[in-house]
Amino acid sequence: MNIDQIKSKLVKLGYTKQAMKTKSIILVYVPKSERDYHMGEISKAFNAEIDQSGRILRAVSSAGAVKVGDFYIGIKPDQSTGLKTDEQETLQGIFIATRFSNPKTDYSLNDLRKGEKFVDSAYKIDALYEKAGKAWIEASIITANKIATYTTGTYRVQQRSGSQFEDNISKQAKLLIKRAGQKLGLDKWNPADIWLVRPSFMKTDFTKFKTIVSLNEFLLEQHKQKNIIGVSLKMVKKTAKLEVFNDGVKKEINFKPPGKTDLGASFTNSINGTIYYSGGSIVIRSFGRPESVSAEINGKFAQGGKAGSGPLFQIIKDIRPRFKTESHQAITKMFNGKKSILIKHLYRQMKKMQPENITEKEFEKKILAKKNALTYCISKYQACDIIQELRDMTRKQQEEFIDAVLSYAASSTKISSIFVKIS
């Protein structure tokens, strides 16, 4: 099958928005949240395998690509189509409310209109149903059926675009987190996209709670009684997994031997620094534009979760107060004014931490030839400092660091509250 035949077949399948990245790579654009779904559909249609090797992730798409003969079909997010986040959450919330109010529902539009009466949101089912693709409808059904295995009865579903309940609890939580002297975003306190609330708890006065601990204890007790349940939603396919977080039961994490880190398969080719733990890894790098690094989790725990530079640096400083690294602004200033000093520093780091057989002049030429040279320098500079600090830690400190990063990424910090995650 040649590239023209592949493009023609994609059009027949409904993938009309296409672009050629190279002579052997064709890109199709779909709603971001539906990439995995369409990857599977295209793979089945062409009877072809999905390639998610490191080379393809870098060259084609972070989601991988479908390999058809000598060609690759990459799936890219189309930011101009699909449901917005609030719309996605509301759609799933309406399906959930419909399931609660009518356990025998077939999720017809008529049933969904009835279920919508139990949802507080700015969005309505008729507009959402017309806008949603097949993948989101199927995912919403699977999610609603999964929730029904965890709890039943009458609930009002609360989504932030139109919920006084959500507004009240969020305002008080934000105030109490600040009062506790913590710098923690609401999504790390509780990443609930919707709240399931028994009617008798809709007018809960959250201002009566004077500490974040007392609020969390209240939510834990009400969750156990199935009166108030925060739910984090993800797009699911075929089946769904339900997990409860921050219920007081600590999830065990087994760690790799101390010092299990690297700075990419190649120091000069990769902007990453990687820390390994049993079942996954923590990738340290800049994401997108030139900015400070974040930590992204790849593995069984907190898959895809992130800790931004602020929380990441603070976690290290809490364990090793002496830790410091240059800000991305300072590194950018060096790159624009004292480039040779910056390159010399990175070269020394390479020789010390992950040596390659290359001269300083060759190293400089290779780095400055990169299209993302500034991003590389920022990412590698900070990643080296973090990895070096980790290597200098004791085993106990390393485990404390990994636990703290994974907990933050999974919204399971010491002051996070109980929630259910559907994925």
Side-chain angles (χ1 to χ4, degrees):
M1 183 174 282
N2 62 38
I3 196 68
D4 289 332
Q5 291 172 322
I6 293 173
K7 290 169 68 177
S8 178
K9 185 169 182 177
L10 285 169
V11 170
K12 290 179 181 178
L13 291 170
Y15 299 102
T16 56
K17 195 167 184 179
Q18 306 175 4
M20 294 299 299
K21 184 172 184 179
T22 68
K23 291 181 179 180
S24 61
I25 299 174
I26 183 171
L27 303 177
V28 297
Y29 292 82
V30 302
K32 183 177 182 180
S33 56
E34 299 181 14
R35 283 190 299 174
D36 290 343
Y37 171 83
H38 290 291
M39 180 82 75
E41 291 297 293
I42 291 173
S43 174
K44 285 189 291 185
F46 284 88
N47 193 26
E49 294 183 355
I50 296 174
D51 188 339
Q52 293 182 317
S53 64
R55 181 177 70 86
I56 295 303
L57 293 178
R58 291 189 297 271
V60 183
S61 167
S62 60
V66 177
K67 189 176 188 303
V68 182
D70 295 326
F71 304 99
Y72 291 92
I73 303 171
I75 313 298
K76 301 291 283 185
D78 183 355
Q79 304 296 348
S80 65
T81 63
L83 300 170
K84 295 182 294 185
T85 300
D86 283 340
E87 293 174 324
Q88 295 167 8
E89 295 167 2
T90 301
L91 181 72
Q92 293 178 86
I94 293 172
F95 274 75
I96 291 169
T98 300
R99 182 65 168 76
F100 285 148
S101 61
N102 178 11
K104 295 183 179 180
T105 182
D106 61 358
Y107 299 104
S108 66
L109 186 54
N110 189 48
D111 279 359
L112 293 170
R113 286 170 179 152
K114 294 176 182 177
E116 180 182 67
K117 297 175 184 178
F118 299 93
V119 179
D120 292 317
S121 168
Y123 301 93
K124 300 302 179 182
I125 187 58
D126 283 80
L128 294 174
Y129 200 85
E130 183 177 337
K131 192 174 181 181
K134 177 183 176 184
W136 268 115
I137 298 297
E138 292 178 350
S140 298
I141 293 173
I142 294 168
T143 296
N145 289 338
K146 190 65 180 181
I147 284 283
T149 67
Y150 186 69
T151 186
T152 57
T154 303
Y155 287 98
R156 288 206 66 83
V157 178
Q158 304 297 293
Q159 199 280 331
R160 61 178 168 267
S161 66
S163 167
Q164 189 62 53
F165 177 94
E166 196 280 338
D167 189 54
N168 290 342
I169 192 173
S170 295
K171 281 183 179 178
Q172 189 65 8
K174 188 174 182 179
L175 173 65
L176 297 178
I177 291 169
K178 184 177 181 181
R179 187 178 293 172
Q182 300 290 324
K183 294 182 178 179
L184 190 72
L186 281 177
D187 64 324
K188 294 303 179 184
W189 166 71
N190 193 307
D193 298 307
I194 59 171
W195 292 85
L196 309 181
V197 186
R198 298 290 190 197
S200 59
F201 284 82
M202 282 296 298
K203 294 184 178 180
T204 300
D205 178 13
F206 290 105
T207 63
K208 67 184 179 183
F209 300 105
K210 304 305 179 185
T211 68
I212 194 65
V213 173
S214 63
L215 174 57
N216 288 348
E217 288 175 345
F218 169 79
L219 291 175
L220 178 60
E221 180 59 29
Q222 299 313 318
H223 187 112
K224 288 178 179 178
Q225 296 183 33
K226 305 295 175 66
N227 291 325
I228 301 175
I229 303 173
V231 183
S232 173
L233 299 167
K234 304 294 180 186
M235 188 178 195
V236 298
K237 299 182 299 179
K238 296 183 179 179
T239 60
K241 177 172 66 174
L242 187 150
E243 299 174 277
V244 181
F245 288 81
N246 305 325
D247 57 357
V249 180
K250 186 70 175 176
K251 289 179 172 59
E252 182 179 353
I253 303 167
N254 297 313
F255 304 103
K256 293 283 188 180
K260 181 62 177 177
T261 60
D262 65 46
L263 288 154
S266 163
F267 188 101
T268 54
N269 290 336
S270 171
I271 69 174
N272 296 354
T274 306
I275 302 160
Y276 298 90
Y277 67 94
S278 182
S281 61
I282 303 172
V283 176
I284 310 293
R285 71 177 179 91
S286 296
F287 290 84
R289 64 183 186 277
E291 60 185 6
S292 290
V293 296
S294 296
E296 182 176 54
I297 312 306
N298 295 307
K300 297 177 182 178
F301 188 84
Q303 173 67 40
K306 284 184 182 179
S309 59
L312 177 61
F313 294 162
Q314 189 59 53
I315 286 170
I316 302 173
K317 288 180 180 179
D318 288 343
I319 300 170
R320 305 263 292 188
R322 74 175 192 180
F323 171 75
K324 63 179 181 179
T325 189
E326 294 290 349
S327 67
H328 72 87
Q329 294 93 336
I331 299 170
T332 299
K333 188 175 181 180
M334 292 174 63
F335 183 87
N336 292 330
K338 299 179 179 179
K339 198 170 282 150
S340 61
I341 295 176
L342 175 59
I343 296 298
K344 187 179 291 290
H345 172 82
L346 291 175
Y347 182 75
R348 286 199 300 265
Q349 291 290 75
M350 180 269 288
K351 285 297 185 181
K352 173 185 175 183
M353 300 180 69
Q354 193 165 305
E356 292 180 18
N357 186 22
I358 187 173
T359 67
E360 185 175 337
K361 185 169 287 188
E362 290 170 332
F363 178 83
E364 179 177 11
K365 183 178 180 180
K366 191 170 184 178
I367 300 311
L368 296 183
K370 295 177 179 292
K371 291 182 179 180
N372 65 337
L374 175 56
T375 299
Y376 172 90
C377 289
I378 294 170
S379 187
K380 214 66 176 182
Y381 194 113
Q382 294 180 338
C384 283
D385 287 344
I386 292 170
I387 295 295
Q388 186 59 62
E389 197 67 38
L390 189 75
R391 290 178 179 178
D392 291 342
M393 290 180 184
T394 64
R395 175 62 184 270
K396 183 178 179 181
Q397 289 174 327
Q398 289 174 340
E399 294 189 353
E400 184 180 350
F401 167 80
I402 294 174
D403 181 61
V405 172
L406 296 183
S407 293
Y408 184 89
S411 303
S412 297
T413 70
K414 293 178 181 178
I415 62 168
S416 296
S417 60
I418 189 169
F419 69 95
V420 167
K421 179 181 178 182
I422 304 293
S423 61

